[in-house]
Amino acid sequence: MEGVTSRPAAGRRTVAVVAFDEVQLLDVCGPVEVLTTANSYGADYDVRVVSPSGDDVRTSCGVRLGIDGGPGSLPPSLDTVIVAGRRDWRRAVADTGLVALVAQLSARSGRTASVCAGAFVLAAAGLLDGRRAATHWELAADLTAAFPRVVVEADPLFVRDGDVVTSAGVSAGVDLALSLVEADCGAGTARDVARRLVVFMARPGGQSQFSARMVGDHADNTAVRRVMDTVVADPAAAHDLPTLAGRAGLSPRHLGRVFRAATGLTPGQYVEAVRAEAAQALLADGERSVEEIAHLAGFGSAETLRRVFQQRLGVAPTAYRARFRTTAVGSPTTVAGR
């Protein structure tokens, strides 16, 4: 993957995955499946799922998860610590024992990672101060508000800042784990794992492909909601910062500040995300030309639409139309055919 710095080949790598009651099952199982599958292709991961008490835990979906042991069962030195999350992040960060354990394990590890709301536990442990970080798009504003020293990035599927890697929601833990395999073992091994698991080596697009129109439901600021509703109602209208600020009755600078605090995005990022989603819907639902869709979605030109699609989704608009209009076997959506 672009931006990944490969680490030298090494021997056995002990990975501690921290789980606890009400943890999201896929937050744990996604990375574990990727890392253990990598062992079939020459990697040597010793993956251990641990809980603070060493007891089994009940996940958010009600499935009981078997635990390999407590912190005392781990060797003194770890290669990686992965912290899963729970939707009720406030309960997680209020667990001082859990937060202290994560801080201790991180100090013993060469690399620390989190999946979804696990970023809140890392932040509570002080591990994200001054760092860029990702979490589920619905929780980005909460992370910004609760931990202002964290530089929250709302769109990426995962963010690497030094020896700390954080991922977006739930299934993005697979993307994160594949990036760890690539850093440790090279792109070839990561690609083999992706093929085995029938997942993208690098998924097209970030969280914005799922979130832009829904994130407004979680913005409490009335002025911000008004701006978001205006953009969604007519993506092609003039939505530059001064115009949006005028509609909100705020100065451009004030709007930019409160908008980011409420959503984790700048107004410009939100406008682009809504326009991209509008273009996606038009591409999937009809046979209009790319030029026409670009104007209807507010991009002005087909070239601008192509540039935004390449940046956000990694594909051209015509390729998006072909890839996402059907899930039939043998269609362009089939991962094995990539």
Side-chain angles (χ1 to χ4, degrees):
M1 293 182 186
E2 185 178 356
V4 172
T5 301
S6 294
R7 304 199 305 175
R12 196 151 181 78
R13 301 177 186 274
T14 302
V15 179
V17 181
V18 180
F20 43 91
D21 281 330
E22 294 301 315
V23 74
Q24 295 187 122
L25 180 61
L26 193 55
D27 284 11
V28 177
C29 295
V32 169
E33 191 70 40
V34 169
L35 297 175
T36 55
T37 300
N39 287 343
S40 300
Y41 297 100
D44 195 7
Y45 291 108
D46 175 15
V47 183
R48 307 189 192 185
V49 181
V50 299
S51 67
S53 66
D55 297 328
D56 292 353
V57 301
R58 185 170 291 279
T59 65
S60 60
C61 63
V63 173
R64 183 167 292 279
L65 185 64
I67 297 297
D68 295 318
S73 66
L74 296 171
S77 180
L78 303 170
D79 181 83
T80 306
V81 173
I82 300 176
V83 181
R86 60 178 288 177
R87 294 294 298 174
D88 185 358
W89 61 265
R90 292 175 179 84
R91 293 283 298 274
V93 301
D95 186 339
T96 55
L98 172 63
V99 173
L101 171 62
V102 168
Q104 292 164 8
L105 293 180
S106 178
R108 294 161 49 185
S109 178
R111 181 172 58 189
T112 302
S114 67
V115 181
C116 195
F120 287 85
V121 180
L122 265 57
L127 300 173
L128 297 182
D129 288 353
R131 293 184 186 270
R132 296 178 298 110
T135 188
H136 192 288
W137 64 266
E138 286 185 315
L139 303 177
D142 287 345
L143 186 58
T144 297
F147 299 97
R149 297 186 65 184
V150 181
V151 183
V152 180
E153 297 193 2
D155 188 52
L157 292 172
F158 62 89
V159 171
R160 183 189 307 274
D161 191 330
D163 58 0
V164 177
V165 192
T166 51
S167 86
V170 198
S171 63
V174 171
D175 301 88
L176 178 148
L178 282 170
S179 79
L180 301 183
V181 171
E182 182 173 0
D184 294 340
C185 308
T189 301
R191 192 173 297 112
D192 287 339
V193 173
R195 288 196 186 105
R196 170 74 67 84
L197 298 181
V198 198
V199 297
F200 285 110
M201 171 72 164
R203 272 197 279 175
Q207 296 192 80
S208 59
Q209 63 185 297
F210 311 110
S211 64
R213 291 172 184 264
M214 294 179 283
V215 72
D217 294 338
H218 302 273
D220 296 327
N221 186 291
T222 302
V224 171
R225 287 293 301 273
R226 186 183 307 122
V227 167
M228 300 174 92
D229 290 344
T230 299
V231 174
V232 169
D234 187 3
H239 296 312
D240 56 275
L241 184 57
T243 300
L244 292 175
R247 291 169 185 158
L250 303 173
S251 70
R253 183 175 181 180
H254 189 198
L255 175 62
R257 184 167 58 251
V258 298
F259 198 97
R260 188 173 185 87
T263 68
L265 301 170
T266 67
Q269 288 171 334
Y270 181 75
V271 170
E272 182 177 279
V274 170
R275 286 174 172 169
E277 287 190 5
Q280 288 171 248
L282 290 166
L283 284 164
D285 292 341
E287 298 296 336
R288 293 183 177 92
S289 69
V290 172
E291 187 72 40
E292 184 180 1
I293 287 171
H295 286 284
L296 289 172
F299 286 108
S301 71
E303 181 55 38
T304 301
L305 175 60
R306 291 187 187 98
R307 175 180 55 78
V308 170
F309 262 53
Q310 287 292 346
Q311 290 175 345
R312 300 180 70 85
L313 305 177
V315 295
T318 50
Y320 179 92
R321 192 201 303 264
R323 177 179 290 171
F324 292 101
R325 290 188 69 182
T326 178
T327 57
V329 175
S331 75
T333 61
T334 306
V335 176
R338 285 173 58 82

